[in-house]
Amino acid sequence: MATSNGTNRQASQKVDIFICGSGSAGLIAATWLARYGVRCKIVDSRSGPLEWGTADGIQTRTTEIFESFGLEDQLLREGFHNLEVAFYNPVGKDGAIERTRSVEASNQGLSHLPRVILSQARVHEVLLGAMKRFNGQDVDYGYRVHSVKVDEEKAKDPHGYPVTIVTEKDGKEERFEAKFALGCDGAHSTVRKSLGFKLVGDGSDSVWGVMDFIPRTDFPDTRKLTVIQSKAGSMLNIPREGGFMNRFYMELPQGTVAKEVKLEDLQGTTRRIFHPYQIEFAETVWWSAYTVGQRVADRFTHSDRVFLTGDACHTHSPKAGQGMNVSFQDGYNIGWKLASVLKGEAKIDILETYTTERRKVAEDLIEWDRNWVKSMASKGKDQGGVLDANNNVDFSEIWVKARPFTAGLTIKYDDSVLTRAKSSLQSRAKGLKVGMRFPSAPVIRFCDAFEMQFLKAFPSDGRWRIVVFAGDVRQIAAYKRLAQLGEYLFSEHGPIKKYTAPGLDIDSFIEVLVLLSGERLTTKQEQIPKHFWPETGKWHVRDMHKIYIDDESYHSGHGHAYEVYGVDPKHGATAIVRPDGYQDVSMVLDIEDFAGISEFFAGFAVERLPAVTNGVADH
C-alpha cells in the first residue's frame, strides 16, 4: 500500500483484542482471555518483562482472584504474610516514638486468604506463566503505541473492526485494526490522550518519598507493617519478601519539591522520624519521590470499543496498597466480558457495565484516598486526625475501621443487566449480598469427603454458576423442590440447554452447584437427582464433583456454611453467580422461582441455535 507521499506502509493486521500495556490490568485481562482460549495482541514499550515493581501489597481480594485462576500457591509461598500492624506515636517531651498499639492486619472472617507482600515484577511473572500455559499467549515487547482511533460508524457493527492502532516497532510503523482495545498503559496513557480523555481532579502540596533498602537498626518492628506518626513526620514501613528488605514511605517536609529530592533527603527524614531508634542503610535498591494526587478520567470508554483500565483512568497515593490491586480488578472485570462477547455467549450490551461498575469503584477510592492521606499526615484534630486520650494523633483507629475497604471486600456493584438486587429475594440468603463478592465457607465435597473452601468450586473459567441451597434432601419436601428445579434447569426450554452451544458439555456455559445440609453419612447419592451429576467430558462420565454438604468434617470441624450464607435449610435458596463470582453475586431467588432465572439469563445471554444437518435443525 502506498501513501500520498509515495512511501510504503504495511497493511493493517486484524486482531480481535489489542491490549496496550502489560501492567497489572493488561496482564490480568490477557490471563482471562487466555483462560477462555481467546487470542489477543498485547504490547508494551519496554524491552522485556518488568524487572522491579513499584507496587508490592497484595490485598486479600487480589489473593482470592489469583486463587480463582489456581495461582495463589505461588503468592502464598513466596510473599511476606502481613498478619500484624504496629502503630508508633511520639511519647514524652523530646518526641521519642513508642509503640502504642498492635492490631491484626485483617478482620477475622473477612477472607480465608491473607494479605501478602510480594514484588509486582514477581506477581506479573506468575501471570505471564499462566497465560503461556492456558493458550500460549505472550507479550510483544518493544512496541510504542502512537495513536488509537475509533470509527464510530464501524462500531455499530458488532462484528466490525472499528479501532485503529498505530504503533512503532524497531523504527517501523505497524498498524492494527481491532474489534476492541484496552488502554492499560499507565498514568501517562497514550491511549487516553489519543482519545482526548482527561484525568480530572487535583494534586496536593504533600510530597512523599519511598525507598526499598536493607536496614540495620535497633527498631524492634521492622518485620511488621508499621505506621509511625512522629513530630518529624509520618512513615509507613512495609516488610518485603526475603526476610531482610523493607519499603519505607515517608512524609517529606512542607515545601519540598519532588523533582529536587535526593536519596540523602529520604535517609535524613527517616532518621528524624525514627528517633530515638538508630538506623543505617546497608543497601538501597530503589527510591523515588512523588507528589500525592487523586484524579479520575472523565471517560472510561469510547463507544464501548476502547476501555481504559488501572492508572490510565484513576491515580491516587500508593500508601494504602490499592493501586496494583484496583488495576487487577479493572482488568479482571473487563477481561471475561470481552471474551464472553467474542465467543458469542453474551450480547455486546454487557460491555456497558464496565464503566458503570468500575467508575464508581474509582470515584469511591479517590474520595477515600483523600481522607486517608490527610489523616495519616495530620498533626491534629483540625487537620482530620483522630486523637487519643493523651491528645496524640491516633491513626490506628482509622486503620482498623478501614480494613474491609483496604482488603478490597466492600465493593458493591449497582443494578444492571448482570446484577439484579431489586429483583432478588435477599431474605432467602442474607449472607449473600447481591452486587458483592461471593464469600467463602468451609464445606465437604459429597463424593469423596474432601474438606475445602466453597470458593474453590468457583474457578475463573468463564462459566456462570447457579448455586442451589437445597437443604436436607432426606426430607421429602426438600427432595421434591430439588427434583423440580432440576427438571426445569435441564429441560429444552430451561436456560442451560437454551444458552449452551450444540456439541459442548452440558455444564460448559452454566454450571449448577448444589450445597446440601444435614448428615453426610446418612444422605445417599440416589437422593440427589441425576440432573445435578451430569455426564460430561470425553468419556461422558458422570461428574460427581458438583455436590457439597454443610456438615462435620473429619479434621476441620463444622463449617456452618448455611449460617455464613444466611440460608434457612427449610426454605433453601438459589443464587446466580457471574463468571467473576469472586466479585459478584448477580441474583438471589427462591428455589422455586424458575421464571426469575429465565428472565435473568434472557437479559444478556445469546440463545444458541440447534446444530443444522442437511438443512434440517437437529433437535
Side-chain angles (χ1 to χ4, degrees), residues 290-305:
Y290 60 93
T291 302
V292 173
Q294 292 95 4
R295 298 179 176 88
V296 180
D298 57 353
R299 295 175 63 185
F300 276 40
T301 182
H302 189 310
S303 305
D304 286 324
R305 291 296 188 144

Side-chain angles (χ1 to χ4, degrees), residues 64 71 376 416 456:
E64 290 179 356
L71 305 175
M376 188 172 180
S416 70
K456 283 281 192 178

Side-chain angles (χ1 to χ4, degrees), residues 425-433 469 565-567 572-575 588:
L425 187 60
Q426 187 69 75
S427 61
R428 281 290 183 260
K430 296 177 181 178
L432 294 178
K433 303 302 181 183
F469 297 89
Y565 298 125
V567 177
T574 303
V588 172

Side-chain angles (χ1 to χ4, degrees), residues 33 35-38 338-346 461 504 608:
L33 296 169
R35 188 69 180 86
Y36 266 87
V38 174
L338 287 173
S340 189
V341 168
L342 286 169
K343 295 192 74 173
E345 297 173 346
D461 56 12
L504 298 182
R608 313 308 285 263

Side-chain angles (χ1 to χ4, degrees), residues 276-297:
Y277 298 102
Q278 303 298 309
I279 187 166
E280 297 179 14
F281 308 89
E283 180 181 353
T284 301
V285 179
W286 172 83
W287 67 276
S288 184
Y290 60 93
T291 302
V292 173
Q294 292 95 4
R295 298 179 176 88
V296 180

Side-chain angles (χ1 to χ4, degrees), residues 106 128 221 270 279 347 451 535 572:
S106 180
L128 289 167
D221 286 328
T270 298
I279 187 166
K347 300 170 186 175
E451 305 160 21
E535 295 178 355

